[in-house]
Amino acid sequence: MLQRMILTVVVPCYNERANVAPMVAALDAALSGLTWEVVFVDDDSPDGTAQAVREIARVDSRVRCLRRIGRRGLSSAVIEGTLSSSADFIAVIDGDLQHDETRLPLMLAAVQSGADLAVGSRYVEGGDSEGLSSPFRVKLSNIGIRIAQMVTGTKITDPMSGFFLLPRALFERLAARLTGQGFKILLDLIMASPEKLSIAEIPYKFRSRTAGESKLDALVLVQFAGLLIDKILRGVVPLRFIAFTLVGAFGVLVNVLVLEFARAAGEGFATAQTIGTVAAMIANFQLNNQLTYRGQRLKGARAWRGLILFLVVCSLGSVANIGIARALYAANGRSILSGAAGAVIGVVWNYAVSATLVWRGR
Ligand code: GDD
Ligand code: MN
């Protein structure tokens, strides 16, 4: 007998090998009586998460594995897992057993009876965030929630939740408007919707992790800030370019500081400025490699090659910068405008050329 697929559970996972089998067992217990499947979206984890999924999938057709190569990212993993589904509803849940899968039937019922979106919340009556690993995480979480509420204009108590359920049709309508960047797919979804979504919040207790480790770090927070800026600018300026420019601005700081140190150490201006510029370029390469191009980070020998290319690209960029500023200054005599125009052209050049030459996608 053919059965209509009601629910696809999308599980983003990175290095969650030990959690795969318990996750399938937990879903099996929580979703009995329902036609469901689970898609583990794995970014080619070195611990062999994908093999662990496939071992189960071979004998259980409700289990699927989507293995992505050469890419990282929680949000984009969730998007691609969802787009592989044909079910009526989609649930998204972490693969580390920190979310409470026994709440899924309740979340499904909420959406079936009219809510656009059901969100597992640690912060409504009956919810609990005790699984947050440290007081620092609790504070971070609170600040993030405050900002997210401001930007989205919603009252939702846990906008950073990675645990939610919605009709697949709604997700597909919003899919093209998602940025797919970073960690906060729920926030991305809410902000992508032109109409206000009706959201049902279902309390759950955030459990502690027992196996594996959290992937949230400071860089993820920077990416989160990027997502918000992107929303405010409505995607007119690419997020990558903003990150690149912020890194560049930081480079100016490095340049000036190193310049002053070198001067204090007795170097002449020209030498000190050269040292400062090279130091800034190296710092910028590092930051861009860690942050702006996190997803295609260069490692080992390729990082050295990338650094040298980056130095060449940026040197040409500064030649263009100075040349254009000089020509404009000669024509109109306004130094601030000429300097700024030169700098803008330098940044755009550096961005465009290094994006294709230094960090070109695979
Ligand atoms: N495919 C893929 N790619 N999965 C990833 C990636 C990635 O780059 N990074 C993390 N994941 C998976 C993890 O394996 C885990 O299943 C889930 O995404 C959440 O990652 P954790 O590293 O466990 O996140 P957390 O516990 O710190 O964050 C939790 O709290 C946040 C709110 O504070 C999660 O519930 C988040 O979803 C939530 O936004
Ligand atoms: Mn976790």
Side-chain angles (χ1 to χ4, degrees):
M1 239 271 283
L2 293 179
Q3 298 256 307
R4 186 185 178 97
M5 183 60 77
I6 302 296
L7 180 67
T8 298
V9 182
V10 175
V11 184
C13 44
Y14 192 77
N15 285 344
E16 303 287 1
R17 182 189 177 86
N19 291 317
V20 170
M23 185 77 205
V24 174
L27 289 174
D28 185 47
L31 300 175
S32 62
L34 214 79
T35 310
W36 62 277
E37 63 171 357
V38 56
V39 182
F40 288 89
V41 188
D42 172 59
D43 289 348
D44 208 21
S45 305
D47 78 342
T49 301
Q51 289 98 295
V53 176
R54 292 228 152 89
E55 250 157 59
I56 301 172
R58 263 208 302 267
V59 293
D60 186 341
S61 61
R62 299 171 304 180
V63 178
R64 291 199 280 130
C65 176
L66 188 68
R67 177 177 166 219
R68 307 196 304 166
I69 292 182
R71 271 181 314 145
R72 276 294 303 276
L74 179 50
S75 287
S76 63
V78 168
I79 293 171
E80 283 163 42
T82 301
L83 294 181
S84 83
S85 155
S86 304
D88 291 339
F89 300 96
I90 303 292
V92 177
I93 187 168
D94 284 354
D96 57 5
L97 303 165
Q98 288 197 273
H99 294 154
D100 183 357
E101 71 292 333
T102 66
R103 308 308 265 176
L104 286 170
L106 217 63
M107 292 162 76
L108 181 61
V111 173
Q112 279 173 326
S113 54
D116 293 319
L117 182 63
V119 177
S121 173
R122 294 165 286 182
Y123 301 104
V124 287
E125 229 8 89
D128 193 336
S129 59
E130 72 187 36
L132 276 182
S133 40
S134 66
F136 176 65
R137 279 296 302 268
V138 173
K139 193 162 276 172
L140 268 184
S141 183
N142 288 337
I143 295 172
I145 290 170
R146 208 71 53 72
I147 298 174
Q149 287 177 337
M150 257 155 47
V151 173
T152 59
T154 59
K155 290 269 147 47
I156 171 171
T157 57
D158 199 355
M160 326 287 269
S161 178
F163 184 32
F164 54 91
L165 189 150
L166 77 175
R168 183 176 52 80
L170 173 60
F171 192 104
E172 299 230 9
R173 270 206 305 285
L174 299 178
R177 315 171 65 118
L178 299 173
T179 71
Q181 305 260 355
F183 234 58
K184 301 303 166 195
I185 178 68
L186 175 63
L187 210 54
D188 204 358
L189 272 169
I190 295 173
M191 292 193 282
S193 172
E195 301 97 40
K196 211 171 163 79
L197 300 173
S198 71
I199 300 174
E201 299 198 77
I202 311 289
Y204 78 97
K205 287 192 168 42
F206 192 62
R207 303 173 188 141
S208 303
R209 222 183 218 282
T210 49
E213 54 190 38
S214 173
K215 283 94 208 167
L216 193 140
D217 55 20
L219 295 183
V220 165
L221 294 171
V222 175
Q223 283 193 322
F224 173 54
L227 175 69
L228 296 179
I229 294 172
D230 185 52
K231 283 299 161 184
I232 294 164
L233 296 177
R234 299 186 188 285
V236 179
V237 184
L239 209 54
R240 281 252 166 93
F241 179 70
I242 297 170
F244 195 87
T245 308
L246 288 178
V247 167
F250 178 76
V252 173
L253 205 72
V254 172
N255 189 334
V256 172
L257 282 178
V258 174
L259 167 72
E260 286 308 310
F261 269 114
R263 295 272 298 174
E267 296 293 342
F269 181 79
T271 318
Q273 169 64 350
T274 308
I275 298 173
T277 306
V278 172
M281 286 178 187
I282 293 173
N284 282 6
F285 174 79
Q286 271 301 335
L287 281 172
N288 279 321
N289 200 35
Q290 300 292 328
L291 222 69
T292 320
Y293 295 100
R294 187 181 160 94
Q296 57 237 60
R297 187 178 296 163
L298 303 171
K299 291 182 190 134
R302 303 182 63 202
W304 285 105
R305 199 181 136 265
L307 172 63
I308 290 164
L309 257 172
F310 187 77
L311 291 178
V312 172
V313 169
C314 292
S315 302
L316 290 176
S318 65
V319 170
N321 174 344
I322 293 166
I324 284 161
R326 270 198 189 150
L328 286 175
Y329 183 68
N332 63 25
R334 303 175 67 173
S335 64
I336 292 187
L337 277 183
S338 309
V344 167
I345 287 172
V347 169
V348 172
W349 156 274
N350 288 351
Y351 172 70
V353 179
S354 66
T356 47
L357 277 186
V358 182
W359 287 280
R360 60 167 170 259
R362 293 186 205 187

